[in-house]
Amino acid sequence: MSTESPLPPELEYLIFTICASSDSTNISNLLLVSQQAKAWIEPLRFHSLMFDGSNETDFNKLLSSKGSGFLAQHVRSFCVTHEASDICNISSILYQCTNITNLALWIFDPFTTFPEITVFPRLQYLSLSNNTSREFVDFLSENPDKALALTHLDCDLLVIPQLVKRIPVHLAQLTHFMTPIWEDYHQDEEIMNALAHLVEREQIQVVIFSMDGHRRDHFPSRRNLLPIEATVLGNPKVVIREVILDWIEDWKLRATGGQDIWTRTDRVSHILKQTTEE
């Protein structure tokens, strides 16, 4: 009995990769179909890496069988949550993923050394926790001549005064910015001036303020805005959204090309700009 498939290899490859990409839980079973299927699908397991403390040992065993350059070839998205346990080991893995485009560092404890993110020339999306936001700004200050290719940045509100000073040199390609915000943020004049400077920059297309739903109820109406608030909130680039309840799920959507917060907000911002122009 012939074991050859009646389908051309190109079509088989397409079927297997679509099945694996549409639902990552399929990958383990698909790997068992054949050696050829395994060769096609296994790299997809490494496309998006998340370290949340639950899989680090298994990943190290899996990685031990891979050759040099494997992670650079296949990994495109990388996420570290505050549950991750071995930051030193994760950092060494991260440095091998030189072609990532999407990086999230959501940890509470500082890195031993903030990642030298200039080794990721294709990095476009960077999402940071409070601690790593401060480390990121310090990194930029210590490396005044290193430009980054970032287009989307999500970081803490408190670092914005230092961050806007770095945009011309370090972040010349930045077009999208997001930060959590609180109801009395306007009382900090330095932050307000920095936000105004940020939204007025021509290169910036979208600024997202994320707020808890109950805080959003206390946000000033447009007619009650202070002058500096009007400069910021009156700009059609600015979109106010409720805080995402599941950041990990949203990160996965971005990693797989789904409708994440950036994509959804682009549509809202486009409508706001059209309304303003009319």
Side-chain angles (χ1 to χ4, degrees), residues 86-101:
D86 191 346
I87 297 299
C88 289
N89 179 53
I90 293 171
S91 295
S92 67
I93 295 172
L94 173 60
Y95 279 123
Q96 298 178 58
C97 305
T98 52
N99 284 313
I100 57 172
T101 60

Side-chain angles (χ1 to χ4, degrees), residues 105-153:
L105 301 175
W106 299 330
I107 58 174
F108 298 153
D109 297 326
F111 270 90
T112 304
T113 303
F114 189 81
E116 177 75 32
I117 59 176
T118 51
V119 304
F120 311 122
R122 299 178 61 191
L123 184 63
Q124 294 180 302
Y125 293 82
L126 180 61
S127 182
L128 302 169
S129 65
N130 294 355
N131 280 340
T132 50
S133 291
R134 291 189 287 272
E135 291 181 314
F136 175 63
V137 170
D138 290 342
F139 171 83
L140 296 181
S141 300
E142 295 164 3
N143 296 272
D145 58 343
K146 293 187 177 181
L148 305 177
L150 291 180
T151 57
H152 294 65
L153 176 61

